[in-house]
């Protein structure tokens, strides 16, 4: 009897031993290889990455009382030959006005945006420098015997900035116009405030907001 039981005990011991071995294997966690993935880095190429319409001023950027007059893409044929040769790519126009008929008061604000095709950041100065100078020269050429243009100090906006006050002595309503031109990255903008009631400080604030939208 003992002889018959012994093999059974040995077999049971072997099974239990094997089961324990298998349980021990389960208790030991498998080796895990951790792969470090480098975070994706965004390289700033110095160029704008959004459409000009997304850079346009909104009503919330302006003082209360203004309404939209026009918002539209600029056609390639509406650009000067010089700008076309310099690589003008696309542009946008936004204009607003505020009117008080009882006081014969009207003020308009307009923004003109142009984006240029620049191969790389090393060519930005070579492209945007002449574009800025041309825009400034075109503005100054509007001066004549009755139209005076005076350059004014203005906070640095973007890479290049110039601001002017324009007065037409023949204007019976006493309309004054202020214009600021600036470039940032591959973008040039001109922002104009014109009317019977103008505020140069508001123009400074608007230009800063416009420059902040360029990305």
């Amino acid at each position: 009897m003992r002889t018959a039981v012994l093999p059974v005990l040995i077999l049971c011991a072997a099974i239990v031993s094997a089961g324990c071995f298998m349980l021990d294997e389960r208790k030991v966690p498998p080796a895990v290889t951790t792969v470090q993935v480098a975070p994706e880095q965004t390289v700033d190429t110095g160029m704008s990455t959004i459409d000009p319409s997304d850079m346009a001023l909104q009503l919330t950027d302006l003082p209360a009382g203004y309404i939209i007059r026009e918002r539209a893409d600029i056609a390639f044929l509406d650009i000067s030959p010089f700008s076309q040769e310099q690589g003008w790519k696309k542009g946008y126009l936004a204009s607003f006005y505020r009117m008080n008929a009882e006081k014969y008061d009207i003020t308009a604000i307009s923004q003109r945006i142009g984006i240029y095709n620049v191969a790389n950041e090393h060519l930005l100065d070579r492209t945007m420098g002449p574009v800025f100078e041309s825009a400034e020269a075109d503005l100054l050429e509007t001066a004549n015997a009755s139209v005076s243009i005076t350059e004014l100090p203005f906070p640095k906006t973007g890479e290049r900035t110039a601001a002017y006050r324009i007065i037409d002595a023949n204007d019976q309503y006493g309309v004054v116009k202020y214009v600021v031109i600036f470039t940032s990255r591959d973008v040039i903008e001109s922002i104009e405030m014109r009317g019977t009631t103008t505020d140069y400080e508001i123009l400074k604030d608007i230009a800063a907001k416009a420059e902040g939208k360029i990305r």
Side-chain angles (χ1 to χ4, degrees), residues 7-43:
V8 175
L9 291 176
I10 295 174
L11 179 59
C12 289
I15 293 174
V16 171
S17 175
C20 292
F21 178 76
M22 292 173 66
L23 288 173
D24 288 343
E25 283 188 326
R26 293 193 190 102
K27 290 179 181 179
V28 178
V32 178
T33 302
T34 303
V35 179
Q36 297 292 336
V37 179
E40 184 177 350
Q41 296 181 348
T42 302
V43 178

Side-chain angles (χ1 to χ4, degrees), residues 104-182:
Y104 299 97
D105 179 31
I106 183 169
T107 302
I109 295 174
S110 63
Q111 175 192 32
R112 192 176 181 91
I113 306 169
I115 301 179
Y116 283 75
N117 188 19
V118 183
N120 57 66
E121 60 182 322
H122 303 295
L123 298 177
L124 278 172
D125 283 342
R126 187 181 301 179
T127 300
M128 302 311 295
V131 167
F132 177 82
E133 293 169 1
S134 176
E136 192 175 20
D138 289 344
L139 176 65
L140 294 174
E141 285 178 1
T142 61
N144 54 42
S146 64
V147 177
S148 63
I149 301 179
T150 306
E151 185 169 9
L152 301 173
F154 200 87
K156 186 177 185 301
T157 306
E159 284 82 44
R160 304 167 188 82
T161 318
Y164 295 91
R165 180 183 64 228
I166 304 173
I167 299 176
D168 186 348
N170 294 333
D171 191 318
Q172 58 179 329
Y173 300 106
V175 171
V176 178
K177 179 164 66 176
Y178 293 98
V179 180
V180 57
I181 305 169
F182 68 88

Side-chain angles (χ1 to χ4, degrees), residues 46-57:
M47 311 300 171
S48 60
T49 58
I50 62 176
D51 286 332
S53 59
D54 294 324
M55 304 177 193
L57 292 167

Side-chain angles (χ1 to χ4, degrees), residues 172-207:
Q172 58 179 329
Y173 300 106
V175 171
V176 178
K177 179 164 66 176
Y178 293 98
V179 180
V180 57
I181 305 169
F182 68 88
T183 65
S184 179
R185 298 177 180 259
D186 53 349
V187 179
I188 183 169
E189 293 197 27
S190 64
I191 300 177
E192 174 184 309
M193 174 181 279
R194 176 182 180 180
T196 53
T197 303
T198 52
D199 190 328
Y200 195 55
E201 297 307 312
I202 289 177
L203 181 61
K204 292 178 182 179
D205 179 65
I206 291 172

